[in-house]
Amino acid sequence: MNTLTYKGFIGSVSFSEEDDVFFGKIEGINGLVNYEGESVAELKEAFHEAVDSYLEFCKDNGIEPLKTYSGNLNVRITPETHRKIALLAAKAGISINAFIRRALDHAVAL
């Protein structure tokens, strides 16, 4: 997926052939904020304006701008992968959750 970034926010980028317009939404927020433009330059400008307006709205209304996450995540994997993780976790002397947490922490640190 193509994305835009501004002030730490990520925005999606899509194109509607029917409407001949680029459009997107701000990702990772507790709400829905869309933007659009007829060119890449217009889309970028609309995204920046959308982020700035959203931040101002949040400030004025005492709202946390970033989406909150529970920290719980269900992931479907194959039984074979599950078995491999269980064996590796046992070898390391840690739980499967701790093993997966370490692996994910490593992956997002890159």
Side-chain angles (χ1 to χ4, degrees):
M1 172 196 290
N2 292 315
T3 60
L4 299 169
T5 57
Y6 176 65
K7 294 186 176 180
F9 289 88
I10 295 174
S12 63
V13 176
S14 298
F15 180 73
S16 170
E17 187 173 359
E18 181 179 319
D19 299 321
D20 200 29
V21 67
F22 293 99
F23 65 95
K25 67 177 184 169
I26 302 174
E27 301 290 341
I29 62 173
N30 289 318
L32 178 61
V33 178
N34 297 310
Y35 47 89
E36 66 178 51
E38 293 184 4
S39 68
V40 173
E42 282 184 19
L43 183 71
K44 286 181 180 178
E45 183 179 339
F47 172 59
H48 292 190
E49 289 174 2
V51 169
D52 290 339
S53 294
Y54 174 69
L55 288 172
E56 188 67 28
F57 173 81
C58 289
K59 180 181 174 185
D60 290 348
N61 292 281
I63 298 171
E64 169 59 43
L66 298 177
K67 184 175 182 176
T68 55
Y69 292 89
S70 68
N72 295 314
L73 179 65
N74 294 317
V75 180
R76 287 178 173 74
I77 57 176
T78 65
E80 180 62 19
T81 300
H82 193 166
R83 184 184 73 75
K84 289 177 182 178
I85 291 169
L87 293 174
L88 289 169
K91 281 184 181 180
I94 59 177
S95 69
I96 290 174
N97 278 341
F99 181 86
I100 293 171
R101 188 172 41 252
R102 283 185 185 177
L104 292 174
D105 286 345
H106 175 73
V108 299
L110 300 176

